[in-house]
Amino acid sequence: TNSSSASLNQQAAGESPAGKSQQRRKNKDGLALTPNRSPKRSSTKDKVAKDGLLPRLTDAEIRKMVHSKDIALAKILEEHESEMNVMAVNMEELRLKNLRTNAALKKRKKRARVTIAILTILLAVGGGCLEYIKREQVKREIASGRDEQRKAEEELIAKLKGEIQMLTTKLGD
């Protein structure tokens, strides 16, 4: 528990929790050694920077690092550009597909409207024809009923005339 309380005290004091092993790796200027800042690169001990600190990297190392970063950035930009091209192609394909789908839907709607209009007209004409046929049938039935009634009345009149003649002959006899 002493080591854990010591590391907590170091952390509270702003020190690194790694402790003395990290402190041994620090250079003369008080900065921790990093991959870019190794003891073998500090061969320019006699050169001092403007701020009084030793330079971290030489000009050649800086140029080499900038060049490698430029190459990495160029690759990233190239990948990004190719991905953007793929997305643009996909978006164009989707736009064209959307246009085709919308055109097909418009045609389908137009066909449906025309079909509904034609069916409405057919139903109206069919209903009119049925109504006409029914009226003609009623007219024929009325006409035939009148003919039958007229024939029946003529028969009745002929029968009654026959009876009248018979009665007048009987009266006259």
Side-chain angles (χ1 to χ4, degrees), residues 138-153:
V138 168
K139 283 181 185 178
R140 276 187 256 125
E141 287 176 359
I142 289 173
S144 69
R146 286 181 184 164
D147 285 342
E148 289 176 12
Q149 188 178 8
R150 188 177 43 82
K151 285 181 185 177
E153 288 176 356

Side-chain angles (χ1 to χ4, degrees), residues 81-99:
E81 185 176 335
S82 67
E83 288 174 2
M84 291 300 287
N85 287 338
V86 168
M87 284 179 30
V89 167
N90 288 341
M91 286 175 62
E92 184 65 20
E93 288 175 0
L94 287 173
R95 188 184 68 78
L96 293 175
K97 184 178 179 182
N98 186 30
L99 290 175

Side-chain angles (χ1 to χ4, degrees), residues 25-131:
R25 291 184 58 198
K26 287 189 178 182
N27 206 346
K28 291 179 182 177
D29 58 1
L31 298 173
L33 295 177
T34 63
N36 292 334
R37 183 172 166 73
S38 61
K40 56 186 164 188
R41 288 192 183 147
S42 62
S43 62
T44 58
K45 291 182 181 178
D46 53 347
K47 289 186 179 180
V48 177
K50 291 180 182 178
D51 57 0
L53 299 175
L54 290 177
R56 294 185 179 181
L57 297 172
T58 64
D59 287 343
E61 289 173 330
I62 291 173
R63 279 190 211 103
K64 184 178 178 183
M65 184 186 305
V66 167
H67 182 67
S68 68
K69 300 289 183 186
D70 285 345
I71 291 173
L73 182 61
K75 286 180 182 177
I76 291 170
L77 287 174
E78 185 178 318
E79 289 175 6
H80 176 70
E81 185 176 335
S82 67
E83 288 174 2
M84 291 300 287
N85 287 338
V86 168
M87 284 179 30
V89 167
N90 288 341
M91 286 175 62
E92 184 65 20
E93 288 175 0
L94 287 173
R95 188 184 68 78
L96 293 175
K97 184 178 179 182
N98 186 30
L99 290 175
R100 286 190 301 266
T101 303
N102 285 341
L105 284 174
K106 284 181 183 178
K107 284 182 182 179
R108 191 176 295 164
K109 285 179 183 179
K110 187 176 181 179
R111 268 190 245 131
R113 287 182 189 134
V114 168
T115 303
I116 289 171
I118 290 172
L119 287 176
T120 303
I121 291 170
L122 286 175
L123 287 174
V125 169
C129 288
L130 284 176
E131 188 65 29

